Amino acid sequence: MKSLVVFISMLLLLCFQCIYGLGSGESGTGVVPSPDRSPDGADLRSSVGTMVGTHFAMFHQGNTDKCAIVMNLSAVDRCAFVKTTQDCSMEDSFINYLKMTFCLLPPDLTPLTITLCIIWLLFLFIVLGLTASKFVCQGVTFLALGNGAPDVFSATVAFSRPHTAGLAIGALFGAGIFVTTVVAGAVSLVKPFTVASRPFLRDVIFYMAAVFWTVVILYRGTISLGETLGYLGLYVVYVITVITSAYIYSHQKHSATRSSIQSSTHVPEFQSSESDDEAILISNSSIQEDYDSEYCPLLPYCESTSSILLSSLNPVDSRIWRRKSWRWRAIKILKMPLEVLLLLTVPVVDPDKEDRNWRRPLNCLHLITAPLVCVLTFRSGEYGMYRIEDQFPVWALTLLFGLFLSAIVFLTTTNNHPPPYHSLFSLLGFVVSAIWISAAALEVVSILHMLGVVFSLSNNLLGLTLLAWGNSIGDSFSDVTIARQGYPQMAISACFGGIIFNMLIGVGIGCLMQMFNNEPVVTFEPAGLLTWVLAGSLGLSLVLSFILVPLRCFHMGRSHGIFLLLFYTVFLLVALLTEFGFIHT
């Protein structure tokens, strides 16, 4: 579903661009050929220098990426341009998508290359969602980290590059507007409810503070180390506030329960509804236990090591498979290779299971594959290919170390009982999941950068649409499903808690990474009109929620949901009109 939404949105953006007529020209790629361009590219460097001088003012008004002028060149000159221009290098990703677009196939087949890149982008969104939902969430305590991992890593990667920071700003602001309007509106339509007043006001106030801080930094154009650490500090304050509020609420509830118990001793004939609910829960749990025990073997069965390995690598549960529709099965078949790869490399510790998901042969194999994934994917394998004294590669040393550690664990453990240090595998699983998500996020940002260059789309627009929708649509369906099951307050809490985490951690970690690589003060590109449309729309939606919801006694009904959906529709229309020049200063 996430990939389908991203694909449809990509088609809508391209159709809008084609209707407006930006960059229509030769070779079917939407480019106007320059009349003074030599066909053989002999004077490429001098003509490019003239082009850069002509567009110098444009770069300093909102786009300092010199690679953006590649579409003003003739089709035969683009390959040489992206090879010689530093802004087109894409050193952090495994694939240079600009070189792939303009150099892999002849110029008349460039649309085919772009189509392949879009299909690869859809697959990367699946990687982000699957890794975060099935592997990160199993290894960490805070649900926001698992749900927000794609958003945070995408924002971190985009902020760490000078020319793609607009992607991060567009994605964070765009996801914020999408969640606070579309998701909150859908939850209100599905299940009208009364939101908890204090948590709602707390989350809105903290998120407004984060947005206001980001707007100030964008207006100034710079951010210092202290301000970057302030983002992380504000999230720590938010977490402490949430924990303190939960403790106070729990203490008050416990005190009220004790007083009600004391009063009930004098009136034994009355029974509270809470006890009825507990009885229902106990009966439901007993039914679930009976259901699970139905599949337990009657006699003790000792499974062999090889069968444990094969069953652990099987991503399909036969009981679930039989109950699902053919559409679910088709999607599952497409995702199976990716799930097997993740099962091979990411250990998962499940504290809810009796054996904590201990799979001796697979966990021993993880000690080999997980370190290899880390060294071969971190920074595009730069460290893994490094040779010690120009002789021995780091990846080979990592392989030997993994084999040695795996042999020790295999010889000192059994299949039936997890070792005392089994919980350390959860830390390893979290690290490897983070590496996988980071690598996929790097490729996503690089592809979006390429699409922005090819179709003359700004990073802000790509961020607020494709990147924001791709990272948020999965959690959005989850929140609506939770609301439909009768837990709308939980869905709203997940909405606001996730976007606060994404904003503060994404900006904080991303700017810290850029500071470590470059200067102690990060300088942003001058904010364009679309950036202020984003910021103003997000701020307006939060202010309206902060005012309207209390005025309605914190009841979020269907009329409020329709209002939020209309607000997002108007915002998206204004953003598109601003991007394509219909609205300008």
Side-chain angles (χ1 to χ4, degrees):
M1 181 63 71
K2 175 187 293 188
S3 300
L4 179 60
V5 172
V6 174
F7 182 71
I8 294 174
S9 61
M10 187 70 218
L11 291 179
L12 291 175
L13 285 177
L14 299 186
C15 291
F16 200 103
Q17 191 235 17
C18 292
I19 292 174
Y20 185 53
L22 289 176
S24 59
E26 64 178 302
S27 301
T29 57
V31 180
V32 178
S34 180
D36 58 348
R37 194 75 57 232
S38 64
D40 58 358
D43 60 342
L44 175 63
R45 294 188 180 272
S46 60
S47 59
V48 167
T50 305
M51 180 69 69
V52 171
T54 304
H55 292 81
F56 185 79
M58 177 191 70
F59 293 144
H60 282 266
Q61 289 175 356
N63 186 9
T64 59
D65 187 1
K66 296 181 178 60
C67 194
I69 65 174
V70 65
M71 300 308 293
N72 293 329
L73 305 176
S74 64
V76 295
D77 293 339
R78 293 171 193 158
C79 179
F81 179 83
V82 298
K83 287 182 177 179
T84 57
T85 304
Q86 180 64 28
D87 289 347
C88 302
S89 60
M90 294 188 177
E91 297 175 351
D92 294 333
S93 59
F94 286 93
I95 303 173
N96 188 320
Y97 295 97
L98 285 167
K99 288 184 181 180
M100 178 179 174
T101 301
F102 298 116
C103 303
L104 179 64
L105 297 176
D108 55 343
L109 295 179
T110 299
L112 175 61
T113 309
I114 296 173
T115 303
L116 295 176
C117 290
I118 294 175
I119 295 174
W120 176 238
L121 176 65
L122 305 182
F123 177 77
L124 290 173
F125 275 123
I126 295 176
V127 173
L128 287 172
L130 187 62
T131 307
S133 61
K134 288 196 174 183
F135 293 88
V136 176
C137 288
Q138 296 287 343
V140 297
T141 303
F142 295 105
L143 183 60
L145 180 56
N147 289 338
D151 309 79
V152 170
F153 277 96
S154 299
T156 300
V157 169
F159 264 117
S160 62
R161 300 177 179 180
H163 299 305
T164 56
L167 277 174
I169 295 170
L172 292 175
F173 282 5
I177 301 175
F178 183 82
V179 169
T180 56
T181 56
V182 176
V183 180
V187 170
S188 301
L189 289 174
V190 169
K191 191 75 173 180
F193 68 104
T194 300
V195 68
S197 58
R198 284 178 293 182
F200 176 79
L201 294 177
R202 176 201 65 207
D203 292 345
V204 172
I205 290 173
F206 268 96
Y207 192 46
M208 284 195 296
V211 172
F212 176 76
W213 197 343
T214 306
V215 169
V216 171
I217 288 173
L218 291 176
Y219 179 77
R220 289 169 41 201
T222 60
I223 180 172
S224 63
L225 178 61
E227 292 168 333
T228 302
L229 295 177
Y231 271 93
L232 306 179
L234 182 58
Y235 187 73
V236 172
V237 173
Y238 171 73
V239 172
I240 293 175
T241 305
V242 172
I243 295 174
T244 304
S245 302
Y247 173 78
I248 295 174
Y249 174 75
S250 177
H251 180 71
Q252 292 176 347
K253 184 178 180 181
H254 182 67
S255 300
T257 304
R258 288 174 56 187
S259 62
S260 64
I261 290 175
Q262 292 175 358
S263 62
S264 65
T265 57
H266 302 285
V267 189
E269 62 271 14
F270 289 99
Q271 186 178 10
S272 65
S273 60
E274 293 181 359
S275 61
D276 294 337
D277 295 338
E278 292 176 359
I280 294 173
L281 291 176
I282 292 174
S283 62
N284 289 338
S285 62
S286 63
I287 293 173
Q288 181 65 33
E289 291 176 359
D290 294 338
Y291 176 81
D292 294 336
S293 63
E294 183 180 345
Y295 292 93
C296 294
L298 297 177
L299 298 176
Y301 173 67
C302 185
E303 195 174 8
S304 64
T305 301
S306 59
S307 61
I308 292 176
L309 178 62
L310 292 177
S311 62
S312 302
L313 292 175
N314 183 13
V316 179
D317 188 336
S318 58
R319 293 174 292 177
I320 299 177
W321 179 270
R322 289 193 295 266
R323 297 197 305 265
K324 294 297 183 178
S325 63
W326 66 269
R327 295 179 182 176
W328 183 92
R329 296 180 183 181
I331 297 175
K332 186 68 174 180
I333 292 174
L334 294 177
K335 294 194 299 183
M336 278 177 60
L338 176 60
E339 291 182 348
V340 172
L341 176 63
L342 293 175
L343 288 171
L344 274 171
T345 56
V346 183
V348 176
V349 178
D350 191 350
D352 295 331
K353 293 185 178 180
E354 184 178 356
D355 61 354
R356 299 175 61 86
N357 202 40
W358 167 249
R359 300 293 182 267
R360 179 179 170 228
L362 181 60
N363 290 141
C364 292
L365 185 60
H366 286 150
L367 295 175
I368 302 173
T369 58
L372 281 176
V373 168
C374 293
V375 299
L376 292 177
T377 58
F378 184 67
R379 295 190 64 87
S380 305
E382 176 182 348
Y383 297 129
M385 295 303 174
Y386 177 77
R387 291 181 175 272
I388 302 174
E389 295 184 356
D390 295 331
Q391 296 293 328
F392 202 71
V394 172
W395 69 264
L397 179 63
T398 305
L399 176 62
L400 292 177
F401 177 76
L403 288 171
F404 175 73
L405 196 61
S406 176
I408 293 178
V409 173
F410 188 83
L411 295 175
T412 57
T413 58
T414 62
N415 291 337
N416 300 325
H417 303 286
Y421 51 83
H422 182 218
S423 58
L424 294 177
F425 280 84
S426 62
L427 177 61
L428 178 63
F430 172 70
V431 172
V432 180
S433 298
I435 294 293
W436 275 122
I437 293 176
S438 177
L442 277 169
E443 303 305 308
V444 167
V445 171
S446 297
I447 294 177
L448 292 178
H449 183 205
M450 179 272 293
L451 293 175
V453 170
V454 171
F455 294 109
S456 302
L457 300 173
S458 69
N459 286 333
N460 283 334
L461 181 68
L462 292 171
L464 75 93
T465 52
L466 296 183
L467 192 54
W469 294 341
N471 288 336
S472 302
I473 198 69
D475 297 334
S476 303
F477 281 110
S478 300
D479 292 336
V480 172
T481 301
I482 292 173
R484 186 178 288 112
Q485 293 174 351
Y487 304 99
Q489 291 189 0
M490 184 186 300
I492 290 295
S493 299
C495 290
F496 282 94
I499 55 180
I500 293 173
F501 175 81
N502 299 342
M503 176 72 73
L504 296 176
I505 301 300
V507 176
I509 299 297
C511 292
L512 275 180
M513 290 180 59
Q514 191 169 345
M515 288 177 182
F516 290 152
N517 294 331
N518 298 302
E519 299 295 333
V521 176
V522 176
T523 302
F524 297 112
E525 295 180 355
L529 180 59
L530 183 57
T531 302
W532 301 122
V533 170
L534 269 170
S537 300
L538 179 56
L540 180 59
S541 69
L542 293 175
V543 170
L544 290 176
S545 297
F546 186 75
I547 296 175
L548 295 179
V549 174
L551 288 178
R552 297 173 57 88
C553 299
F554 296 94
H555 180 73
M556 299 184 68
R558 289 188 170 86
S559 60
H560 184 70
I562 294 174
F563 167 76
L564 293 177
L565 295 177
L566 290 176
F567 182 92
Y568 185 80
T569 303
V570 173
F571 151 73
L572 191 59
L573 179 61
V574 172
L576 291 174
L577 293 176
T578 304
E579 168 68 17
F580 295 109
F582 292 102
I583 299 177
H584 53 82
T585 55

